[in-house]
Amino acid sequence: MPQPLSRTTTVLSQPRDRQPMLGVVVVDELVDAIVSGRLAPGDALPPEGPLSEQFGVSRTVVRESVKRIEEKGLVTIARGRGTEVRPMTAWNTMDRVVLTALIKHDETLGILDELSVVRAQLESVMAAEAARRRSEDQVTELEQAMQRMRESTADEEVFRAADVAFHETVMELSRNRLASNIARTLMDRALESSRYHGVDTPDAFAVTLREHEAVLAAISESDPVRAQDAMNGHILEAWRRRRLPLPDAGKRED
């Protein structure tokens, strides 16, 4: 049975003014409440009335919003039993709102660690496929993306955009639409997080250029094994270099 919560349980992450909230904002707040643990697996969502009061919306908006989070796998709606929060294993973690919330509340960086591993696996396979399939025109396209990176080392924002463009070019060359879609979703959600950007070392751009050059060379020379290794190593090492230390890192236990 769902664990009942008080009718006055606050779902909102922080107080809001009394302006009516859009349904999409209600969905975001409900997802945040579940992912953050304010509503735990087995808990029952507060009834429509209290939720309607907290969010400043009609019961219809609340009802539709709860249906949306059910579609994301976060809750189960049972007639006569209320709405129960499901365990994380049931969540659609590739959903944009869910993944964004997971990264937001990723205090240990575990989700970003996992994301980097999955992204490295996907993009390394695509790099290998690009090396097998590439034409001279496509190599030229990749070289142009690489050149944009070389020319923008003095401008961090432009350099990062060129970096993303390089990866997207490799994805396009692979022609693997499913892997590209998943990898782009992971990358887009990660790039929204300041934790993912971390802290660059002084030689970060120079190292990044060398790693991209290795990927480019392997694809240009039609060497799928080298291309796969180079891309996998680049993504994992880039994350390792800029990964922020945990707040208690370095502390010794008595």
Side-chain angles (χ1 to χ4, degrees), residues 24 28 72 92 94-101 185 189 192:
V24 66
D28 288 349
K72 300 175 189 298
N92 175 11
M94 287 301 297
D95 177 87
R96 181 188 65 80
V97 180
V98 176
L99 184 54
T100 296
T185 297
R189 299 290 76 76
E192 294 172 350

Side-chain angles (χ1 to χ4, degrees), residues 139-227:
V139 170
T140 298
E141 183 181 355
L142 196 58
E143 288 173 341
Q144 290 172 343
M146 187 73 241
Q147 186 60 29
R148 288 193 291 273
M149 289 185 65
R150 298 188 192 104
E151 294 172 349
S152 59
T153 54
D155 189 321
E156 180 177 351
E157 184 176 350
V158 175
F159 182 86
R160 294 194 186 284
D163 187 337
V164 171
F166 179 92
H167 284 268
E168 290 184 339
T169 302
V170 173
M171 293 181 203
E172 290 171 6
L173 299 190
S174 77
R175 302 179 200 170
N176 189 326
R177 291 171 294 180
L178 181 58
S180 296
N181 184 274
I182 296 171
R184 282 192 177 96
T185 297
L186 294 174
M187 185 161 59
D188 289 347
R189 299 290 76 76
L191 289 174
E192 294 172 350
S193 169
S194 60
R195 289 192 182 105
Y196 185 73
H197 292 288
V199 177
D200 285 325
T201 57
D203 62 345
F205 285 4
V207 175
T208 298
L209 281 173
R210 288 197 297 271
E211 291 172 348
H212 283 76
E213 294 278 10
V215 174
L216 171 60
I219 293 175
S220 300
E221 296 165 19
S222 300
D223 189 332
V225 174
R226 226 169 82 227

Side-chain angles (χ1 to χ4, degrees), residues 31-69:
V31 170
D32 191 84
I34 293 170
V35 172
S36 68
R38 295 196 303 278
L39 293 173
D43 285 346
L45 260 65
E48 287 180 5
L51 286 178
S52 176
E53 176 66 21
Q54 285 186 41
F55 291 128
V57 297
S58 68
R59 293 189 179 211
T60 300
V61 171
V62 169
R63 193 174 306 122
E64 290 301 316
S65 298
V66 171
K67 287 180 182 178
R68 297 291 81 77
I69 65 169

Side-chain angles (χ1 to χ4, degrees), residues 7-53:
R7 294 177 65 87
T8 59
T9 297
T10 300
V11 173
L12 289 168
S13 57
Q14 57 187 353
R16 289 179 176 267
D17 59 34
R18 300 304 299 164
Q19 292 298 315
M21 299 174 70
L22 296 174
V24 66
V25 180
V26 176
V27 170
D28 288 349
E29 286 285 353
L30 288 171
V31 170
D32 191 84
I34 293 170
V35 172
S36 68
R38 295 196 303 278
L39 293 173
D43 285 346
L45 260 65
E48 287 180 5
L51 286 178
S52 176
E53 176 66 21

Side-chain angles (χ1 to χ4, degrees), residues 209-249:
L209 281 173
R210 288 197 297 271
E211 291 172 348
H212 283 76
E213 294 278 10
V215 174
L216 171 60
I219 293 175
S220 300
E221 296 165 19
S222 300
D223 189 332
V225 174
R226 226 169 82 227
Q228 183 166 350
D229 288 345
M231 183 63 86
N232 187 72
H234 159 59
I235 292 174
L236 293 179
E237 281 302 303
W239 168 237
R240 182 192 63 77
R241 286 193 299 270
R242 67 177 183 271
R243 190 183 192 276
L244 294 169
L246 297 179
D248 60 348

